[in-house]
Amino acid sequence: MGKALRPSGWLVLLYLLPGLAIYSFVVLVPILSAFRYSFFSWTGRPKKSYIGLDNYAEILRDEVFWHAFWNNVIMTAYGLIGQVGLAFVFALFLMSKAVRWKGFHRTISFFPSTMAPIIIAFLWTLIYNYNYGLFNEFLRIVGLERWVQSWLDLSGPIVLLVSIPLSWQNIGFYTLLMLAGLAAINKEVLEVAELDGATGFRKAWYVMIPLAKPTLIVSSLLCIANNMRGFEHIYAMTGGGPGNASSVMALYAYETSFLRFRYGYGSALAIMIMALTLLIILIGTALLQRRRGAEGVEH
Amino acid sequence: MGKRSAVLGLSTAAALLLSACSNETAPTNEAASGEGEAGGGGKISITLMHRYQASNIGKSPEDTAVLDGVERFKKDFPDVEIVEEQLQNEDYAIKAQALAAADDMPDVFIVPGSWMTNFVDNEIVLQLNEELDKRPEWRDGYRAGTLDAGTREGKVFGIPIAAGPTHLIYYNADLFADIGYDQFPATWDEVMDAGRKLADKGVNLFSYGDKSKGYAMSSWISALTDRHTGPEWTASILSGGGAAFTDPGFVNAISIMSDLSKAGYLNKDMNSVDGDTMVSYYFEGRSAAFVSGIWSAMNVVNNAPEAVREATKVAVFPGVEDGKGDPLASSGGAGVYYSVHAGIAPGPKLDAIMTLLEYMTGSQSAKLMAEVGGFPAYDPGEFDTTKLHPVARAAYEASAAADATKIFDLWFDASIVEVINTEIQGVMSGSKTPAQLAEAAQQAYETFLAKP
Amino acid sequence: MEQAMDMAAAERGSANLARLIKKLLLNVIMMLFSASCIFPLIWIGYSSLKTQSEFSNSIISLPQKLHFSNYAEAIKLTNMLQLSWNSARVTAVSVLAIVLIAFATGYLIARVRFKGKRLMVVYYLFGLLVPIHALLVPVYLLFKESGLADQWYTLIIPYVAFNLSMPILLVASYITGIPKEIEEAAAIDGLGFSRTMFTIILPMAAPVLTTVAILQFFSCWNEFSFALVLLKDEALRTVPLGMSYFKSQHSTNYPQLMAGMVLSILPVAVVYFAFSSRIVAGVMAGAVKG
């Protein structure tokens, strides 16, 4: 390796410093202070009293929080299917020679990703609206009048219903990531596969998935992280309702701090959200690694 | 060579950070938040943060009157600088909470009644008794009871702005005439009967919009419970005097709401639309009535189609059989207050602040608010009612006539309010029973009582 | 024999038919999906030109007459020019800083061995987990105590910090795909490390940097919570804050709300459609080399 690739230590540090400094300042410091507050009972102003692990003990018993956590998990599952999964399928379609107007599809499908969450939420609240909603209008037009619903009032499928706009917004982004990942697969590999008679679905399954695995993993991790800390769409669409049927962890933490004045408990919730997200990601990674190991044995 | 371009590349990135950190000389109004200082003999500067917005002038009586007060103050006291921040309702709540936690509130700010206990306990707000005592004729001008939710143990911490019922029924008299009622039904049996007849015509009796989780409590539950239990129950709950949420009065109040919903007399999307959409449904003739506070009167006047506007009349809930409450009463009182930062010491600055508060909420502002259809906390006395639309006048008169009962969300502890707000959505959507709601509320209440 | 050939031909024919159907199906699915992405926006666009009563009579029909008064009203209520300028300034500086930092960091991660590299990558990835809305109070406290709140540059700091993780990841993986021989050749030519990095690799990384820039442009432009909490001075407000007047209207005039939405989407849409081909090209180009 030439000297071009071996800069001196201080140079490396110099280049890394601006990023590390600004990132540590705004991301790390608030997390550390939240961590500290999480050991206090704090309802505002400087009045804080140290209560040790009481906040965390309360979280363990807090049914509303665990309900919200479960909603996050379900949303993440929907996200993995509806965002990453569908994006993978669409990316395959877009690579297929059969599909026309690829540029058009890529451009259009990414556009929702450019919009502010509040706009997306408003748009979808209208789409689901009982009287003014596009969705019910569509059902009426195709003659499924009896399916007409006040969608956001259904507490059963509410988590699915609020997950759809998220997928709608993010598919384009993940499709792009997939396209990038898939484009990296050597064309020759595909041609060889085709010569072997592997077409369509089988080609996708046996050839594409293993090769696209790094992209799939990165996309899944992003998707998990985004869904576990999701807030804005739900806040604006349902406020966690009906009741707290669609509440999620971040919304609950936010309400705890901003509506119930319990900053200490709210901070503990924030720390918990990060811990749980990390845990899920670690479990996910471990599972993937184990599967990879198992595959290795098979072949 | 390498080093030079390294420095070049890095400095571009770092310059941003450095300039951001060192550029402290940029003009800032930091001085304005100086606490307790009267501006060192120079100009007095008052920071003001509230949820009234210039874009609502002419649409909302409160915004119109309060902001007019600010303008008049600026004209009369050109040497006092007002650094104002206007925010929309929900945004205000977020921002104020962050500032309160950081002990960085402006000099004058809005405090909803439900926050008051917390702000008093944490010494965020200033006690105003002495200052008000210096200005007795202003102090005594507020309507009875409007200072209550801003007062703790006799100490006044908040100056009210608007008062008036959170519960009024706005109904379309034409639609009710069509089904044989020449006024709003006088008993709950008649209400259900009217609901049935309206449903036959494809119209909802009430439109209802509780997306914000709070509407049910302030416009329905507070008044309905009082119809059943009278104010004694509420007083007993507040003092821990033995009343319970599982008492029949409270449960029956919730049952009335649940019955209306089950019978299909409300719009299906009652938990997912907001108050504005609720009113829109009424305008469009999808419902024959809606329940809301005085603030909706001007919405009807300004935005309803002419036919609806001319047909709109105002009523309150009918009494209930064996009910202990006054059938004319409505839940009401001031909901939000202006408070002053606890760090402000007596002196010219505090004097200026008190004068500003008087300009924003006192006699002249109250007159204007009443004239444009609001119900000010300060008694405006005689005012020009000629410009008032009949709907607004009816709402004003109903407000003035109604004995105000307590609005639960202002008085009950936030933890209890929260539970009821959440559970009522379950009741209305049919997944919970009124008894279950009562049980949950009682549990929260007992937890609250058990706290030291 | 002939029979067999006929059968083969028929088989080929039906295979062609199947392929045609498949092709049609794929295209139909993609068209439906793209339509679902764009139709709601078209709907908002033309509905914003209706009156409220027209809208409530039929939500789907086209406006009978174009009501531009909705736009006049929306523009009157917000100071679009000032808001846009503030947003543009904050966004431009943030994006530039993100790109530079992400490039330097990503390059070092991809190419240079140094102590704590793995730890640093994990550290940056951790930023993806942070629930921003649950941390508004500590963030506000930090800015208040350091005196950085309420300045024109205030928002740049969190925007850069919270938008570093993904760009660093993208840049690092892109640069990993660039053959090392390029730097080795540069070294033989006597170029130093920094020189190689900025004059040789930076241009080569342009596609991924463009992608990063455009992606972060949207996230900075649309950010709301920090803008709300960290700014007091109304003259510094950004577009998303100005849009909150949607919510403060006392009646729901849907067409007018939609007019406001169109206004707030518009600048972003213009940027997007102007650069959309580059975004795609950037992402794809990054991968092809890999």
Side-chain angles (χ1 to χ4, degrees):
Chain A
M1 211 180 280
K3 92 174 173 73
L5 301 184
R6 277 201 223 123
S8 66
W10 71 265
L11 193 62
V12 170
L13 192 68
L14 203 64
Y15 280 135
L16 293 178
L17 207 59
L20 284 173
I22 196 167
Y23 178 83
S24 303
F25 179 69
V26 191
V27 181
L28 186 68
V29 173
I31 291 175
L32 290 180
S33 23
F35 188 64
R36 192 167 68 86
Y37 302 148
S38 73
F39 300 107
F40 288 86
S41 166
W42 179 28
T43 57
R45 267 209 38 177
K47 273 197 184 173
K48 297 188 194 79
S49 51
Y50 180 79
I51 54 167
L53 288 169
D54 282 10
N55 283 328
Y56 290 98
E58 187 178 342
I59 291 178
L60 294 181
R61 284 180 272 112
D62 189 338
E63 283 171 33
V64 183
F65 174 77
W66 291 106
H67 171 73
F69 168 69
W70 183 238
N71 280 346
N72 277 109
V73 172
I74 299 174
M75 272 179 64
T76 306
Y78 286 140
L80 288 173
I81 300 165
Q83 298 174 35
V84 179
L86 273 184
F88 182 64
V89 173
F90 284 145
L92 288 182
F93 283 10
L94 283 176
M95 288 184 70
S96 154
K97 277 178 247 155
V99 172
R100 302 285 175 87
W101 295 346
K102 292 181 173 133
F104 170 78
H105 291 309
R106 282 188 303 232
T107 304
I108 295 300
S109 67
F110 185 77
F111 186 57
S113 301
T114 66
M115 287 189 283
I118 177 137
I119 303 266
I120 302 278
F122 179 80
L123 176 62
W124 277 85
T125 312
L126 258 181
I127 289 175
Y128 284 135
N129 182 288
Y130 182 62
N131 290 307
Y132 309 126
L134 271 184
F135 205 39
N136 282 343
E137 185 76 15
F138 171 76
L139 290 174
R140 285 190 198 102
I141 288 171
V142 300
L144 290 170
E145 193 110 35
R146 67 210 151 84
W147 287 11
V148 164
Q149 293 278 358
S150 173
W151 295 96
L152 293 180
D153 285 78
L154 304 173
S155 35
I158 189 72
V159 179
L160 173 63
L161 290 170
V162 296
S163 297
I164 291 173
L166 275 170
S167 295
W168 181 76
Q169 175 168 27
N170 291 322
I171 281 184
F173 170 72
Y174 288 111
T175 306
L176 274 192
L177 280 189
M178 299 290 172
L179 280 175
L182 292 176
I185 298 172
N186 201 316
K187 282 240 161 67
E188 282 161 36
V189 176
L190 291 182
E191 276 155 22
V192 169
E194 222 148 297
L195 283 181
D196 285 352
T199 51
F201 178 75
R202 288 182 43 191
K203 181 167 90 186
W205 195 252
Y206 291 108
V207 183
M208 298 291 227
I209 288 198
L211 290 171
K213 209 165 188 176
T215 317
L216 278 171
I217 290 176
V218 168
S219 305
S220 302
L221 292 183
L222 278 178
C223 180
I224 293 173
N226 284 335
N227 279 288
M228 291 303 283
R229 63 176 183 166
F231 172 85
E232 280 153 315
H233 296 80
I234 300 220
Y235 174 72
M237 279 176 66
T238 66
N244 47 34
S246 62
S247 188
V248 288
M249 292 188 290
L251 181 66
Y252 183 61
Y254 163 86
E255 286 175 344
T256 302
S257 287
F258 288 96
L259 300 181
R260 267 158 269 166
F261 322 110
R262 297 188 61 199
Y263 304 108
Y265 193 55
S267 299
L269 288 170
I271 298 296
M272 203 67 177
I273 294 172
M274 285 184 272
L276 287 169
T277 312
L278 203 60
L279 189 72
I280 288 197
I281 288 180
L282 287 178
I283 292 174
T285 324
L287 284 179
L288 285 171
Q289 233 124 45
R290 217 183 59 184
R291 256 188 71 190
R292 194 182 289 169
E295 270 165 26
V297 173
E298 264 171 47
H299 292 292
Chain B
M1 255 322 215
K3 272 177 197 164
R4 199 196 295 160
S5 39
V7 172
L8 208 90
L10 185 74
S11 59
T12 336
L16 295 156
L17 189 75
L18 291 175
S19 76
C21 293
S22 60
N23 194 3
E24 281 294 300
T25 46
T28 143
N29 50 33
E30 227 157 69
S33 60
E35 293 169 15
E37 279 138 61
K43 207 169 170 181
I44 294 177
S45 178
I46 300 171
T47 50
L48 166 67
M49 184 169 86
H50 53 184
R51 50 186 211 185
Y52 300 110
Q53 293 180 286
S55 58
N56 284 333
I57 290 177
K59 290 182 190 142
S60 146
E62 288 178 41
D63 298 58
T64 309
V66 167
L67 295 178
D68 178 72
V70 175
E71 286 313 310
R72 276 187 290 113
F73 181 88
K74 282 183 188 163
K75 209 171 284 166
D76 292 354
F77 300 92
D79 53 334
V80 177
E81 186 196 14
I82 305 232
V83 182
E84 187 185 1
E85 191 179 0
Q86 303 180 351
L87 288 161
Q88 183 269 341
N89 258 346
E90 290 163 44
D91 299 350
Y92 180 85
I94 301 172
K95 180 126 193 195
Q97 289 295 334
L99 298 192
D103 194 17
D104 196 25
M105 279 306 226
D107 300 330
V108 182
F109 49 91
I110 293 271
V111 181
S114 53
W115 299 5
M116 196 58 89
T117 303
N118 178 275
F119 276 26
V120 171
D121 288 350
N122 285 299
E123 296 161 23
I124 293 167
V125 289
L126 186 70
Q127 190 236 111
L128 299 171
N129 290 42
E130 288 81 20
E131 293 299 320
L132 283 171
D133 289 345
K134 286 189 219 158
R135 302 163 174 82
E137 74 281 25
W138 172 41
R139 177 195 64 192
D140 296 336
Y142 288 96
R143 290 179 213 268
T146 52
L147 286 163
D148 289 359
T151 305
R152 293 292 179 276
E153 293 165 6
K155 293 176 189 151
V156 179
F157 292 94
I159 304 294
I161 301 136
T166 57
H167 159 72
L168 291 174
I169 299 170
Y170 297 84
Y171 67 102
N172 184 326
D174 290 350
L175 288 176
F176 278 90
D178 287 349
I179 53 160
Y181 287 92
D182 53 6
Q183 57 177 358
F184 194 82
T187 67
W188 282 99
D189 287 340
E190 283 182 15
V191 171
M192 294 309 273
D193 175 63
R196 203 171 309 123
K197 288 176 177 157
L198 286 165
D200 289 342
K201 293 172 163 264
V203 176
N204 290 317
L205 172 59
F206 293 112
S207 50
Y208 180 103
D210 191 28
K211 181 183 176 186
S212 63
K213 291 191 194 174
Y215 164 72
M217 173 90 81
S218 70
S219 287
W220 287 74
I221 299 175
S222 307
L224 267 179
T225 306
D226 185 77
R227 290 285 186 279
H228 282 94
T229 64
E232 293 77 23
W233 179 85
T234 316
S236 170
I237 288 278
L238 286 174
S239 62
F245 284 91
T246 44
D247 291 346
F250 182 75
V251 178
N252 289 339
I254 304 293
S255 299
I256 286 182
M257 297 173 67
S258 148
D259 290 348
L260 284 170
S261 164
K262 266 192 222 145
Y265 301 160
L266 310 178
N267 44 312
K268 270 193 168 184
D269 46 1
M270 57 191 132
N271 286 330
S272 67
V273 297
D274 55 19
D276 294 335
T277 307
M278 162 183 91
V279 178
S280 295
Y281 286 171
Y282 173 75
F283 290 170
E284 288 162 13
R286 295 176 199 269
S287 73
F290 67 95
V291 182
S292 182
I294 175 108
W295 57 85
S296 288
M298 286 317 287
N299 191 355
V300 173
V301 174
N302 290 333
N303 300 311
E306 202 187 335
V308 175
R309 180 171 63 224
E310 297 315 315
T312 298
K313 294 207 164 126
V314 179
V316 292
F317 281 147
V320 294
E321 239 172 274
D322 304 324
K324 298 194 188 97
D326 171 6
L328 277 180
S330 165
S331 50
V336 298
Y337 294 82
Y338 272 114
S339 290
V340 178
H341 192 283
I344 309 261
K349 179 162 178 174
L350 187 52
D351 287 339
I353 286 174
M354 294 310 285
T355 311
L356 173 64
L357 289 176
E358 187 176 347
Y359 270 70
M360 290 194 294
T361 69
S363 138
Q364 225 178 317
S365 158
K367 261 204 176 57
L368 176 61
M369 197 191 296
E371 280 167 15
V372 294
F375 193 78
Y378 193 95
D379 190 344
E382 292 291 311
F383 65 95
D384 183 8
T385 56
T386 53
K387 279 177 264 165
L388 270 192
H389 187 272
V391 173
R393 200 180 313 167
Y396 189 93
E397 277 157 15
S399 308
D403 243 346
T405 68
K406 289 192 161 58
I407 312 169
F408 290 173
D409 34 334
L410 290 189
W411 291 91
F412 292 168
D413 186 73
S415 60
I416 304 164
V417 170
E418 178 88 26
V419 167
I420 298 177
N421 281 348
T422 303
E423 295 287 311
I424 190 68
Q425 290 201 336
V427 170
M428 297 306 274
S429 67
S431 63
K432 293 268 173 70
T433 65
Q436 282 173 319
L437 177 147
E439 204 65 54
Q442 181 63 18
Q443 211 180 346
Y445 178 53
E446 280 163 17
T447 313
F448 167 71
L449 288 180
K451 268 189 217 159
Chain C
M1 254 319 234
E2 263 180 30
Q3 229 178 344
M5 277 173 73
D6 277 357
M7 269 174 68
E11 226 165 68
R12 219 177 303 133
S14 73
N16 278 341
L17 189 69
R19 194 169 293 169
L20 200 72
I21 291 175
K22 210 177 78 183
K23 195 170 162 181
L24 200 71
L25 199 70
L26 283 185
N27 277 294
V28 167
I29 293 175
M30 284 317 294
M31 283 313 287
L32 278 178
F33 175 64
S34 288
S36 87
C37 287
I38 200 72
F39 181 69
L41 303 162
I42 297 172
W43 177 59
I44 289 183
Y46 72 71
S47 295
S48 68
L49 297 166
K50 289 165 133 182
T51 64
Q52 170 69 21
S53 65
E54 239 183 292
F55 178 72
S56 70
N57 282 338
S58 166
I59 63 145
I60 203 96
S61 68
L62 290 169
Q64 287 151 356
K65 228 178 73 193
L66 303 183
H67 270 267
F68 286 102
S69 60
N70 289 329
Y71 283 88
E73 181 76 3
I75 290 170
K76 205 175 74 191
L77 288 175
T78 54
N79 189 353
M80 262 325 254
L81 211 65
Q82 171 89 50
L83 295 171
S84 303
W85 159 242
N86 290 336
S87 281
R89 177 170 61 180
V90 165
T91 305
V93 181
S94 304
V95 167
L96 186 68
I98 292 169
V99 166
L100 285 172
I101 294 174
F103 172 69
T105 312
Y107 180 76
L108 291 172
I109 290 173
R111 282 295 200 253
V112 178
R113 277 200 213 170
F114 55 90
K115 238 189 217 167
K117 183 158 97 180
R118 257 184 90 87
L119 188 72
M120 191 183 80
V121 173
V122 171
Y123 181 54
Y124 273 121
L125 287 183
F126 192 69
L128 294 171
L129 310 182
V130 179
I132 293 161
H133 298 94
L135 288 176
L136 284 176
V137 170
V139 170
Y140 179 75
L141 273 170
L142 175 71
F143 273 76
K144 179 206 159 199
E145 275 155 23
S146 57
L148 291 173
D150 215 24
Q151 308 287 347
W152 73 265
Y153 53 77
T154 297
L155 294 177
I156 295 167
I157 304 165
Y159 288 3
V160 172
F162 279 100
N163 288 314
L164 277 178
S165 307
M166 205 166 51
I168 288 176
L169 201 70
L170 289 178
V171 173
S173 74
Y174 181 92
I175 290 178
T176 314
I178 298 176
K180 274 188 187 152
E181 288 77 17
I182 289 178
E183 282 116 307
E184 276 154 17
I188 291 167
D189 287 351
L191 287 183
F193 175 79
S194 302
R195 189 106 191 200
T196 310
M197 177 172 161
F198 286 103
T199 59
I200 310 276
I201 304 298
L202 184 69
M204 292 185 74
V208 75
L209 296 179
T210 315
T211 309
V212 162
I214 293 166
L215 286 176
Q216 302 316 315
F217 171 88
F218 298 121
S219 105
C220 296
W221 184 277
N222 291 329
E223 203 280 335
F224 175 78
S225 301
F226 288 128
L228 171 67
V229 172
L230 300 179
L231 297 179
K232 278 182 189 166
D233 191 344
E234 293 190 9
L236 294 174
R237 286 187 181 174
T238 53
V239 171
L241 274 184
M243 286 300 133
S244 70
Y245 84 93
F246 287 156
K247 296 181 276 179
S248 66
Q249 296 271 322
H250 283 278
S251 86
T252 305
N253 184 332
Y254 282 107
Q256 200 173 306
L257 284 180
M258 290 170 166
M261 287 172 67
V262 171
L263 281 181
S264 71
I265 296 175
L266 212 59
V268 178
V270 169
V271 169
Y272 175 66
F273 286 108
F275 290 100
S276 69
S277 58
R278 287 215 189 167
I279 300 184
V280 177
V283 177
M284 307 276 288
V288 173
K289 299 215 174 70

